[in-house]
């Protein structure tokens, strides 16, 4: 019996150590799991005492998920992200800097920056494919925004956008008219053009003129129809009177009085 206990003790101890080792592996795996979930080319770091998440030149085609929610600086530059969906950064309430430069962004959904209004200080959207963006996209955003080096359409919508956001220092000269509602503005800096041209007022005048032309067209059609209607009735009455004149006198007088009363 004593010998049996002596044999069982090492076995029991071995099983216990094996179980403990497996438990440690599970704990270690759970600790390492968040890092393993990061997209290839993305990694967390610390810069200037701020928690940073870098995904620069990582060949991303969308905003990655599982970004640590205590991130304060996020770099998504030099990727192929085509658009920003609504609530793309809603889980990053402490974000101070967001770099989305050198992507393929051509569309930004309303609410894409929702949740960043309180803390975000810098937003870089330079060197993308933005042509037109609603001013509501940056609603309540206090960050300094870089919109340079995009193929902008210079119109009232861009004018409203520029007046809504605070542009980053030295970035305003890079907002160029790639196309415009007025051909002579193409290739010029938008702020320079905006100093001499009120795009929204010009748009309003064009709309007013178009409305007046449309109203005049309808009015002319109504008048033309009335003139045609009156002339047609006059022609019918004339033909009927000529017909009456060709009838015998007694029947003619009777039908003439009937026609006159009808006309009256």
């Amino acid at each position: 019996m004593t010998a049996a206990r002596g044999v069982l003790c090492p076995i029991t101890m071995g099983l216990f150590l094996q179980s403990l080792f497996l438990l440690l592996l599970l704990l270690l795996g759970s600790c390492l799991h968040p890092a393993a979930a990061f997209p290839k080319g993305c990694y967390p770091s610390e810069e200037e005492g701020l928690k940073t998440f870098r995904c620069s030149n990582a060949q991303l085609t969308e905003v990655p998920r599982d970004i640590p929610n205590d991130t304060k600086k996020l770099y998504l530059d030099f990727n192929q992200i085509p658009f920003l969906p609504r609530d793309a950064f809603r889980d990053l309430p402490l974000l101070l800097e967001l770099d989305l430069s050198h992507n393929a962004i051509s569309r930004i959904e309303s609410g894409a920056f929702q949740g960043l209004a309180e803390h975000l200080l810098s937003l870089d959207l330079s060197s993308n494919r933005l042509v037109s963006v609603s001013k509501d996209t940056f609603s309540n955003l206090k960050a300094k925004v870089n919109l340079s080096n995009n193929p902008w359409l210079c119109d009232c919508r861009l004018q409203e956008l520029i007046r809504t956001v605070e542009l980053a220092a030295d970035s305003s000269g890079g907002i160029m008219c790639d196309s415009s509602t007025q051909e002579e503005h193409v290739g010029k800096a938008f702020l320079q053009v905006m100093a001499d041209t009120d795009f929204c007022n010009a748009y309003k005048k064009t709309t007013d003129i178009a409305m007046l032309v449309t109203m005049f067209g309808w009015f002319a059609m109504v008048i033309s129809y009335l003139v045609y209607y009156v002339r047609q009735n006059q022609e019918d009455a004339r033909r009927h009177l000529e017909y009456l004149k060709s009838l015998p006198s007694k029947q003619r007088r009777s039908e003439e009085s009937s026609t006159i009363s009808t006309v009256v």
Side-chain angles (χ1 to χ4, degrees):
M1 192 70 174
T2 304
R5 286 180 180 176
V7 173
L8 288 174
C9 284
I11 294 175
T12 304
M13 183 61 69
L15 291 173
F16 173 75
L17 291 173
Q18 186 178 2
S19 301
L20 183 61
F21 179 72
L22 290 173
L23 180 61
L24 288 172
L25 284 178
L26 289 172
L27 290 173
L28 185 60
S30 64
C31 291
L32 293 176
H33 176 71
F38 297 152
K40 184 180 179 180
C42 299
Y43 60 91
S45 64
E46 189 166 323
E47 298 179 9
E48 300 176 351
L50 299 175
K51 290 193 174 182
T52 303
F53 193 76
R54 281 194 173 273
C55 285
S56 302
N57 200 19
Q59 299 182 349
L60 298 176
T61 56
E62 63 180 2
V63 176
R65 301 176 182 178
D66 300 322
I67 299 173
N69 57 18
D70 59 350
T71 298
K72 293 189 175 181
K73 298 173 71 174
L74 176 59
Y75 293 89
L76 299 173
D77 51 319
F78 290 95
N79 286 289
Q80 292 93 45
I81 300 173
F83 81 103
L84 300 178
R86 183 180 179 84
D87 294 325
F89 308 98
R90 65 179 178 180
D91 296 325
L92 303 172
L94 304 180
L95 198 62
L96 300 176
E97 295 182 23
L98 176 56
D99 189 347
L100 290 159
S101 64
H102 297 89
N103 273 279
I105 300 170
S106 60
R107 182 166 61 92
I108 304 177
E109 291 186 356
S110 179
F113 303 111
Q114 190 169 339
L116 301 180
E118 294 298 322
H119 299 283
L120 194 67
L121 301 176
S122 174
L123 173 59
D124 194 345
L125 286 164
S126 63
S127 300
N128 276 282
R129 299 177 185 174
L130 296 172
V131 175
S132 184
V133 177
S134 170
K135 64 178 181 178
D136 297 332
T137 303
F138 302 98
S139 180
N140 301 319
L141 205 62
K142 300 174 183 177
K144 294 182 179 180
V145 185
N146 188 342
L147 298 171
S148 62
N149 299 320
N150 282 279
W152 290 109
L153 166 63
C154 292
D155 60 357
C156 177
R157 202 177 193 195
L158 181 58
Q159 179 174 303
E160 290 180 336
L161 174 64
I162 296 299
R163 288 176 175 174
T164 300
V165 302
E166 182 179 355
L167 297 176
D170 302 323
S171 69
S172 59
I175 303 174
M176 308 293 292
C177 296
D178 188 73
S179 58
S180 176
T181 52
Q182 301 181 35
E183 190 65 29
E184 65 270 20
H185 298 151
V186 175
K188 296 181 179 179
F190 183 66
L191 264 66
Q192 178 186 350
V193 172
M194 202 170 71
D196 302 320
T197 306
D198 188 342
F199 286 86
C200 295
N201 189 43
Y203 174 78
K204 185 176 182 299
K205 286 182 179 178
T206 303
T207 304
D208 290 344
I209 291 172
M211 187 176 294
L212 285 173
V213 170
T214 302
M215 291 176 64
F216 179 78
W218 278 106
F219 182 73
M221 287 177 63
V222 171
I223 295 298
S224 299
Y225 176 77
L226 288 175
V227 170
Y228 170 79
Y229 180 79
V230 170
R231 285 182 178 178
Q232 187 68 28
N233 282 351
Q234 287 178 342
E235 183 66 20
D236 290 344
R238 185 184 64 79
R239 289 175 181 173
H240 191 63
L241 286 173
E242 289 178 354
Y243 168 73
L244 292 176
K245 288 178 182 179
S246 66
L247 296 176
S249 59
K250 185 175 181 180
Q251 183 179 0
R252 183 172 66 241
R253 281 196 300 271
S254 173
E255 292 197 7
E256 279 179 353
S257 63
S258 175
T259 300
I260 292 170
S261 64
T262 301
V263 172
V264 173

